[in-house]
Amino acid sequence: LIDPSAVGGGPRGSALSREDVVAGSLPPARWFSERLPLLRAKCPQGVSEAIQEAGDVMCVPAGVWHAVLNLTDTVAITQNYVGPAE
């Protein structure tokens, strides 16, 4: 998870640019092996990581940048909610 205030134009000043975070055409394996370490180094207080175990649930709040790397075969159930525009 990446604190949205750490990315481009956040209220506390931005340690990361949108280009730092967005993968674009970069394959996922390279994003995790190359880009994520740079994000950790550039903004350690803005990047949180977790390993979920079977049965764990994670809520990703609206606006929070996130990426998922499955370490084993995985079945995921997701729910996305899009409310009225603010």
Side-chain angles (χ1 to χ4, degrees):
L1 302 174
I2 301 173
D3 183 341
S5 67
V7 181
R12 296 184 308 198
S14 302
L16 305 172
S17 70
R18 182 176 174 82
E19 292 74 28
D20 289 332
V21 178
V22 174
S25 62
L26 194 64
R30 286 194 48 211
W31 188 92
F32 280 97
S33 67
E34 297 173 14
R35 188 80 53 88
L36 182 56
L38 296 174
L39 295 175
R40 285 189 203 116
K42 198 169 185 181
C43 187
Q45 74 283 1
V47 178
S48 301
E49 297 177 66
I51 295 179
Q52 287 182 261
E53 301 293 339
D56 288 350
V57 174
M58 179 175 283
C59 177
V60 178
V64 173
W65 294 77
H66 64 283
V68 176
L69 175 64
N70 296 317
L71 302 176
T72 62
D73 290 342
T74 303
V75 174
I77 300 172
T78 65
Q79 174 66 41
N80 295 309
Y81 171 75
V82 178
E86 295 181 21

